[in-house]
Amino acid sequence: PFLLEGHGARVVVEPGIGDRWSEKERRIYHLDRRPTIEETLASAGLAPVDVTHVVATHCHWDHSGAQVTERGGEPVPRFPNARHIAPRIEVETAANPGHLRRASYRAEDVEPVRAAGLLETFEGQREILPGLVIHELGGHSDGVSVVTVSGARETAVFWGDVVPTTHHVQPPYIMAYDLDPARSFDVRSRWIARAADEGWIGLFYHDDRHAFARVRRDGRRYRAEPLAGSELAGAELAGD
């Protein structure tokens, strides 16, 4: 998960896999719950009640599971004071995934948030806060999106599952999980080129080594250039 702060807001982008898993499921998926999202928020001096927005690029359980927790044996929103934003088609698919999509969605990751009146859906594009925009693309899933954060000097892009790791910066390197490979190739080709040409900072959700990197052109190909801490410290994305 990534935490964005500015304009009086605290935004969690993709809260993560969560902790509502049986021991069998933990073994199957090799889940390591250390640290939890509460612990990582605490390292930033925050708690779930302090989060003002939760942004989901899509509703696969490995991205949205942590937005729900259990209290007294009942599923409840983990971030009770936050607006939750997700693509409309993703919310609908989570409720009724059908046979092809059933393995990737759990209705219980979304329904408690909707029942609490905290869920907002969108189609196409939505500006959540000044400079913070979510763009629906499709390909990996029906409504998978990317999130851009723009300031006076820099733009960052949270790639979600459109470019899940720095190993996926070549447009043909499409995950086997992608529902529509042709659409994936189209949106990846356009957005990777744009990120490279404009020098965006990339935020990589599934990369276990490099959370931040820029995509650079390398002849007819691309390469990922990981960012050091000093480079990130100097990046000005948005003003308060």
Side-chain angles (χ1 to χ4, degrees):
F2 286 83
L3 174 68
L4 310 177
E5 293 184 281
H7 298 283
R10 301 180 180 96
V11 184
V12 169
V13 183
E14 310 281 55
I17 200 166
D19 47 21
R20 295 173 296 107
W21 298 92
S22 68
E23 284 304 315
K24 179 180 178 181
E25 290 167 328
R26 290 171 189 262
R27 290 194 302 271
I28 290 173
Y29 297 116
H30 300 276
L31 301 184
D32 184 353
R33 296 299 306 128
R34 301 166 298 171
T36 66
I37 192 165
E38 283 87 355
E39 291 168 340
T40 55
L41 281 171
S43 70
L46 301 173
V49 294
D50 300 316
V51 174
T52 61
H53 300 73
V54 175
V55 180
T57 64
H58 60 307
C59 293
H60 285 175
W61 48 257
D62 59 322
H63 292 251
S64 295
Q67 67 185 13
V68 173
T69 187
E70 289 188 359
R71 295 193 182 95
E74 295 295 323
V76 295
R78 186 182 301 270
F79 307 97
N81 300 320
R83 295 168 51 197
H84 292 63
I85 296 95
R88 180 190 60 79
I89 187 63
E90 291 292 315
V91 172
E92 293 176 355
T93 302
N96 297 286
H99 179 73
L100 181 62
R101 298 165 176 79
R102 185 172 295 123
S104 300
Y105 294 90
R106 303 189 306 178
E108 60 266 29
D109 292 336
V110 176
E111 186 52 38
V113 178
R114 176 157 49 186
L118 299 175
L119 183 60
E120 301 176 15
T121 64
F122 75 97
E123 296 179 69
Q125 181 175 298
R126 172 82 165 272
E127 185 174 48
I128 301 167
L129 292 164
L132 177 62
V133 182
I134 185 166
H135 313 257
E136 185 179 20
L137 303 181
H140 170 72
S141 66
D142 293 310
V144 71
S145 306
V146 297
V147 179
T148 55
V149 190
S150 300
R153 298 186 182 182
E154 296 269 16
T155 293
V157 57
F158 175 82
W159 287 114
D161 274 357
V162 174
V163 187
T165 78
T166 54
H167 302 289
H168 290 85
V169 298
Q170 312 303 334
Y173 291 7
I174 296 169
M175 284 198 295
Y177 291 107
D178 283 18
L179 192 67
D180 186 340
R183 189 173 180 184
S184 283
F185 180 76
D186 177 58
V187 300
R188 283 165 47 77
S189 296
R190 289 187 283 110
W191 279 80
I192 290 171
R194 184 178 177 188
D197 292 342
E198 299 183 23
W200 292 353
I201 297 172
L203 283 61
F204 294 87
Y205 180 79
H206 280 294
D207 198 304
D208 64 348
R209 293 189 178 185
H210 304 297
F212 303 94
R214 298 185 196 271
V215 178
R216 302 294 196 190
R217 288 189 180 271
D218 189 5
R220 297 176 62 184
R221 294 169 59 82
Y222 297 94
R223 59 181 171 83
E225 183 180 278
L227 270 67
S230 58
E231 294 175 278
L232 286 171
E236 295 186 16
L237 290 172
D240 202 350

